[in-house]
Amino acid sequence: MYKIREIKYASKSVSIQVYKIENRKRVIVRHIGTARNQQEKSDLLALSKDFIEKVSKQFTLFESSSSNNILYVNQTDFIGVYYTFLYELISKLIITIGLDKVKNNLLLDLVILRMIEPASKLRSIELLDEYFGLNHRRQSYYQSAPQWLVLKLKTESFALRFARKHYAFNFDLLFYDVTTLYFETFEEDELRKNGFSKDNKSQQPQILVALMVTKEGFPIAYEVFAGNTFEGHTIIPVVKSFILKNKVKEFTVVADAAMISIENIKALRESKINYIVGARLGNLSNELVAIIDKSISRKDGKSIRIKTENGYLICSYSSVRYRKDKYEMEKQIEKAKFVINNPSKNKKLKFTKSNGQNIELNQKLVDKTRKLLGIKGYYTNLEESIAENKTIINRYHELYKIEQAFRISKSDLRKRPIFHHKEEPIKLHLLICFMALLVSKHIELQTNRSIRNFIHECKKITDARLINKLTGKELRIRAKLNPEIIEILQKLNLLT
């Protein structure tokens, strides 16, 4: 049987030891420490009792205080840190958005890790253990991952419900755009196809990802297409599916100029979908350009509205845009003249044209471009009584918010590189990225901080991991919340 011994010294300090009797002799098993006041003595006695319990499984008849909350430096080892605060904070946001209803801890943990340190799925499982002490078996991922794809529609419904409740989304305005994600291979399949690449990787197979966001930039739906799909062919099926699924009556979609075509305009009108899209003025007829040149006032903020087969064409003028357009045009003209004067460097440029075997300046195109300097165009079917020109222009300019969402997704969450080569894992990867994007965008909108800055600040609140060498038990001590974190918690309504 183990016992506790107290040795008092003249200095009023007390040494605490654990001993046992062997062959009628006292054998010191462990010197616990020396106390210089009553509190230290109480702590050392608690440590002694836990040590006895550990080495002998010997329980006392009386309740004793746990030594796991007592830090005694000489009997403690530092073994590292966990970022549990960050994990808990993101978990609360996941619950706020409603993603916890997917009821899959491994999937949600991968979403959290995607926000903190994007990596392959198997590497992410290792980091979950390293950063948070969460143990997931690789086999669990292989077994359950194929079942997660059915969660796409459910995840989008959670996003839509949250957007309606917290961002007052009422289906009146939806922003639409697409991007491409390429693969480090040259082999195509049914999904990964060569096509026009926004990453300048046209020789490598890719996929096309469409994203829909609210006017604040909060994502509510996405879709995946084969990499050789023309982006203008995606908007109609995606938007019509969204309207049908959510039984929407009034709807306006905002998209860039790549989405505009006579077929798309016709389909949008037939489906009674309002639209605001960018216009490529360089593709207009000379007659229409002449009307614009004659009608528009070259003053900042001035605009005109012209009825065309694609709906109303709204054109606005900006002196800043004029200077930018003029500079770029003159630079292109200089390049064209250089090529004309140096036939050995013969190549096709914007303002050159062929005349037999010779290259000459395309003066008609130069004149047409000069008439459009400083002018930006937009197409819409909305009557001026419903949305005046300024409103249309302002709504289109908000399209940058979807570009921000893509930036978060492709840069901060690193959709690329993709470590998968089959359709099912690729779509699963995009599901995880979309869920991470939901949480990340909500953080940015509420805190006015980038997700990278948010992660950086939250990582400062660590849980120090300490081992009690007497009992082998782990003690964790969390850093105090600093003013930056308190401000973040207040803006996220998570300060309790």
Side-chain angles (χ1 to χ4, degrees), residues 71-299:
L71 178 60
Y72 201 74
V73 177
N74 292 338
Q75 302 291 357
T76 305
D77 277 343
F78 174 77
I79 59 172
V81 298
Y82 278 150
Y83 300 106
T84 312
F85 172 79
L86 176 56
Y87 177 86
E88 292 171 352
L89 183 52
I90 297 178
S91 295
K92 289 179 181 178
L93 294 173
I94 284 176
I95 294 172
T96 300
I97 295 173
L99 296 179
D100 60 305
K101 294 181 178 66
V102 302
K103 296 181 179 179
N104 191 297
N105 291 334
L106 175 54
L107 173 59
L108 295 178
D109 284 348
L110 289 174
V111 169
I112 292 173
L113 213 288
R114 173 60 47 178
M115 296 173 59
I116 296 171
E117 187 171 324
S120 69
K121 304 304 175 290
L122 298 183
R123 173 60 179 158
S124 295
I125 290 174
E126 294 175 359
L127 291 176
L128 284 169
D129 185 22
E130 181 180 332
Y131 288 171
F132 314 119
L134 299 173
N135 296 306
H136 292 287
R137 294 171 51 248
R138 288 190 175 192
Q139 193 60 32
S140 298
Y141 169 75
Y142 291 126
Q143 290 173 349
S144 61
Q147 304 166 18
W148 297 348
L149 283 178
V150 298
L151 298 173
K152 176 181 181 292
L153 293 179
K154 186 178 288 188
T155 299
E156 289 176 334
S157 70
F158 296 149
L160 183 58
R161 192 178 308 157
F162 184 76
R164 295 181 69 176
K165 181 178 180 180
H166 292 270
Y167 293 104
F169 177 66
N170 60 0
F171 300 99
D172 61 335
L173 199 63
L174 188 71
F175 293 83
Y176 179 91
D177 203 355
V178 299
T179 191
T180 56
L181 301 174
Y182 69 93
F183 296 80
E184 300 290 353
T185 181
F186 293 93
E187 297 180 6
E188 297 181 278
D189 53 34
E190 290 301 313
L191 182 63
R192 300 180 303 163
K193 295 283 188 180
N194 287 344
F196 174 76
S197 173
K198 295 177 182 291
D199 300 299
N200 296 317
K201 300 285 185 178
S202 58
Q203 300 305 312
Q204 293 174 244
Q206 62 184 17
I207 57 174
L208 194 70
V209 180
L211 185 65
M212 290 184 282
V213 306
T214 68
K215 57 187 176 183
E216 292 82 14
F218 186 79
I220 54 175
Y222 73 100
E223 197 53 72
V224 185
F225 297 90
N228 61 350
T229 306
F230 171 57
E231 59 186 274
H233 293 164
T234 66
I235 186 171
I236 300 301
V238 171
V239 172
K240 287 181 69 174
S241 173
F242 181 84
I243 290 175
L244 183 64
K245 182 169 56 180
N246 296 287
K247 299 178 181 179
V248 182
K249 293 181 179 179
E250 287 293 326
F251 191 85
T252 300
V253 63
V254 184
D256 68 14
M259 304 301 163
I260 190 67
S261 69
I262 295 176
E263 293 78 13
N264 281 353
I265 293 294
K266 184 179 179 181
L268 288 169
R269 284 176 171 171
E270 289 176 352
S271 302
K272 297 181 180 180
I273 301 171
N274 298 321
Y275 59 88
I276 300 172
V277 293
R280 289 176 171 167
L281 299 183
N283 294 337
L284 298 180
S285 65
N286 291 328
E287 293 78 10
L288 192 51
V289 171
I291 293 173
I292 295 171
D293 180 45
K294 182 179 179 181
S295 304
I296 197 165
S297 172
R298 261 70 175 187
K299 293 181 179 179

Side-chain angles (χ1 to χ4, degrees), residues 284 288-293 295-296 304-315 378-380 389:
L284 298 180
L288 192 51
V289 171
I291 293 173
I292 295 171
D293 180 45
S295 304
I296 197 165
I304 58 172
R305 180 180 288 234
I306 305 170
K307 194 169 185 178
T308 72
E309 61 179 4
N310 289 331
Y312 293 108
L313 173 61
I314 297 172
C315 295
Y378 318 85
Y379 281 115
T380 185
N389 293 357

Side-chain angles (χ1 to χ4, degrees), residues 396-493:
Y396 182 84
H397 286 175
E398 290 175 343
L399 193 61
Y400 78 91
K401 292 176 181 177
I402 197 168
E403 295 173 355
Q404 286 183 329
F406 276 131
R407 172 187 57 75
I408 296 172
S409 186
K410 295 181 77 170
S411 178
D412 295 332
L413 302 180
R414 294 186 208 165
K415 268 189 179 178
R416 275 273 314 142
I418 300 180
F419 298 93
H420 309 290
H421 305 287
K422 295 183 179 180
E423 181 171 343
E424 189 177 85
I426 290 171
K427 289 185 174 180
L428 174 59
H429 172 73
L430 293 175
L431 172 64
I432 292 173
C433 287
F434 179 72
M435 295 174 76
L437 179 60
L438 292 177
V439 184
S440 299
K441 194 60 188 179
H442 178 58
I443 290 170
E444 287 202 351
L445 289 172
Q446 295 300 310
T447 65
N448 294 318
R449 295 172 180 267
S450 70
I451 188 61
R452 287 299 105 202
N453 177 265
F454 169 82
I455 298 296
H456 174 74
E457 291 299 330
C458 290
K459 272 189 170 183
K460 294 177 182 178
I461 310 302
T462 58
D463 284 3
R465 301 175 60 205
L466 306 169
I467 283 289
N468 185 328
K469 292 190 290 186
L470 293 174
T471 64
K473 292 182 179 180
E474 182 176 326
L475 171 67
R476 298 184 188 178
I477 301 178
R478 178 165 294 180
K480 290 184 178 180
L481 301 185
N482 57 45
E484 293 280 335
I485 293 298
I486 292 174
E487 180 187 1
I488 288 173
L489 293 176
Q490 288 174 334
K491 289 183 176 180
L492 292 171
N493 292 319

Side-chain angles (χ1 to χ4, degrees), residues 58-76:
Q58 174 182 314
F59 296 94
T60 63
L61 295 175
F62 304 99
E63 184 178 350
S64 62
S65 61
S66 171
S67 67
N68 208 37
N69 294 323
I70 299 172
L71 178 60
Y72 201 74
V73 177
N74 292 338
Q75 302 291 357
T76 305

